[in-house]
Amino acid sequence: MPLAGRLLTLTEFERLACGGGADLSLVQDGVARPVVADRADRVPGRHVLAAYRSGTTLLLTRLATRSAPVAALCRGIELDLLEHGLLPSAPVTANAYLTPPRAQGFDRHHDDHSVLVVQLHGAKRWQVFEPGASEEAEPVVSTTLEAGDVLSIPRGFPHVAHTTDEASLHLTLGVHTVSRADALADMLRTLEPFRRSVTGPDGLASTGLPELDAAAYLRDRRLRWITGLDPLPGGRLVADAAAAAVGPDTVVRRVPLMPSESGTEGGLARLTFPGGTLRLDGRLQPVLDHVAKAESFAPHHLPSVGAHYDAVELTRILVRHGIFQPVDAAVDEEPSAPAVVQPVVQSAVRAERPAAPARSTRDLSLVRDSGPAVGHHLGWMRLRERLTGAECDDLVAACHEFPLSAPTTVDEAGHPAHRRADMRHVPHGPSTAWAYQLIEDVADEAARTVYGFDLTGIKRAPQYVEYLPGNGHFHRHNDYSHDQLDSPRKITVIVQLSDPADYEGGALQMFGVETEELPRERGSVLVFPSMIDHRVTPVTRGMRRALVAWVAGPRLR
């Protein structure tokens, strides 16, 4: 019961549900329908409360981004999975359901991931069935959860729940782990023979399973997962000031839920932690080994090694990036909200290695190669300065760090073959921050000089796509995305990442007065209004790679 009371109360749920700005849906007839804010509603949430009183379940999604205790619980589960050798394939998700008395939310269904149900208020009756069981089959679990109870439902097990004579508030935690099929696909995808198209039964039969270094894959996947985690906040806003005050005798302690692991990489000593990787001179490996295991230390306690290094400066770096914090400045409360991660690549070794040159300022001039003149409000544009080959290689390598996802479109069920590609969502992080900045800079320049749009920024993660023969096309569509409630996509930015000689087909075409084919030179950065129809023609040979991003803005402005 104490845990349930600390996670989310009815008062907090109502504030999020009726105050506007939250990811709220109404579950009616077994379907979740997003709530669209009504500016004319002088009493925020009036229609939401009316729906609830009529028997509708209220669903709040993405709770880990809005509730510090829920975020901390999700992070704790993720770290427990790692400790037990289970690799998460996606962050633990958290949704809250408020169901009125004598009502039911979703119909009987199953999930493609495991679920933990945490009852927060009231009671709810749950039935869980064997996978593949008929509608008439008896449940394998039939139980009533009360506040503080937890129910675990493995992936694929159908389930249904309903309330009794009182309202119920529960939290559903989605636990996504890497399956054996996921791991094998990841490993085989790195081998050239397994990237070839299937040409018939003989093409499959002749492909023998090679020796796979599973241990190396698991180590690499674990490190990538830790690096990709967003650090939870707790004194982050005052970290710079706290770091400046660190002296030789200042005791620092590890920030809660902030793991770190040491290792080597290309002759350098490496410390991996949520949000980034610290790389130092290889002679400092014993120092980072000590830091990775320490719960607290003072700079003068760090190991002495055969290289001159500033222990105080190293400790300050660890404090600035939220791994440790001074004991007298440490906060005992739970983290209050997720934080934005910035890249971490620094050195505490004096004059050992020259600093990497900063990425040069780009020429943001937009030009056209053909068609309507520059400034045509419906025309496409390209950045005068293309990305270099090295930048394209870096971007492809960074995108390959993220798991494959199914490419989606509006009305996917009605048009199942409308889009075919291998796709990966690209989150903001140390290896992708520069690409995010480039996308926003290009979109801002296009909005200012050509289209006259108001923009609010990147609202959905860009997508890295690979188009292959037989699995490489995107039929005519536009990116405007009317279902994006906060602000629709206004400007599309596409980075061509393949050399034109590497593939055939795969033309990016825009529909207007005349159908135009956009430039395909590697490193080209293309920009156009998201509401314009366009397509990718089928790839017939090789592979076309691209990064596709959208910058949103207010409707009709």
Side-chain angles (χ1 to χ4, degrees), residues 207-223:
T207 306
L209 191 65
E211 288 289 332
L212 299 175
D213 191 345
Y217 166 79
L218 293 175
R219 287 193 302 269
D220 177 68
R221 181 84 186 229
R222 176 186 175 92
L223 290 176

Side-chain angles (χ1 to χ4, degrees), residues 195-248:
R195 295 199 296 266
R196 299 175 188 171
S197 300
V198 175
T199 55
D202 292 341
L204 283 175
S206 62
T207 306
L209 191 65
E211 288 289 332
L212 299 175
D213 191 345
Y217 166 79
L218 293 175
R219 287 193 302 269
D220 177 68
R221 181 84 186 229
R222 176 186 175 92
L223 290 176
R224 285 190 282 124
W225 174 256
I226 293 175
T227 305
L229 290 173
D230 287 344
L232 301 177
R236 297 295 299 257
L237 293 177
V238 296
D240 286 351
V246 169

Side-chain angles (χ1 to χ4, degrees), residues 297 306 340 400 415:
F297 66 87
V340 176
H400 273 239
H415 301 84

Side-chain angles (χ1 to χ4, degrees), residues 425-503:
H425 291 289
V426 181
H428 188 285
S431 61
T432 60
W434 70 271
Y436 268 70
Q437 189 63 56
L438 171 66
I439 291 162
E440 292 199 328
D441 287 348
V442 170
D444 287 344
E445 180 70 9
R448 183 182 67 85
T449 62
V450 184
Y451 304 127
F453 292 159
D454 289 345
L455 300 179
T456 55
I458 298 174
K459 299 297 184 181
R460 296 186 180 181
Q463 295 177 2
Y464 170 77
V465 289
E466 292 181 340
Y467 296 98
L468 294 160
N471 189 41
H473 67 260
F474 198 165
H475 294 323
R476 182 168 176 166
H477 67 286
N478 67 68
D479 300 331
Y480 184 66
S481 187
H482 302 271
D483 65 332
Q484 195 160 331
L485 300 181
D486 49 0
S487 55
R489 303 169 185 174
K490 299 285 278 293
I491 289 181
T492 296
V493 178
I494 296 179
V495 183
Q496 301 277 37
L497 294 172
S498 293
D499 190 297
D502 291 343
Y503 64 97

Side-chain angles (χ1 to χ4, degrees), residues 266-316:
L268 298 177
R270 183 198 67 227
L271 185 72
T272 300
F273 53 92
T277 299
L278 183 65
R279 298 176 179 87
L280 304 177
D281 187 280
R283 290 171 290 178
L284 295 189
Q285 189 64 56
V287 182
L288 294 192
D289 289 343
H290 178 90
V291 168
K293 297 179 176 63
E295 288 300 317
S296 64
F297 66 87
H300 71 270
H301 291 147
L302 291 175
S304 298
V305 294
H308 175 66
Y309 79 100
D310 189 331
V312 172
E313 180 59 25
L314 173 58
T315 305
R316 288 172 176 169

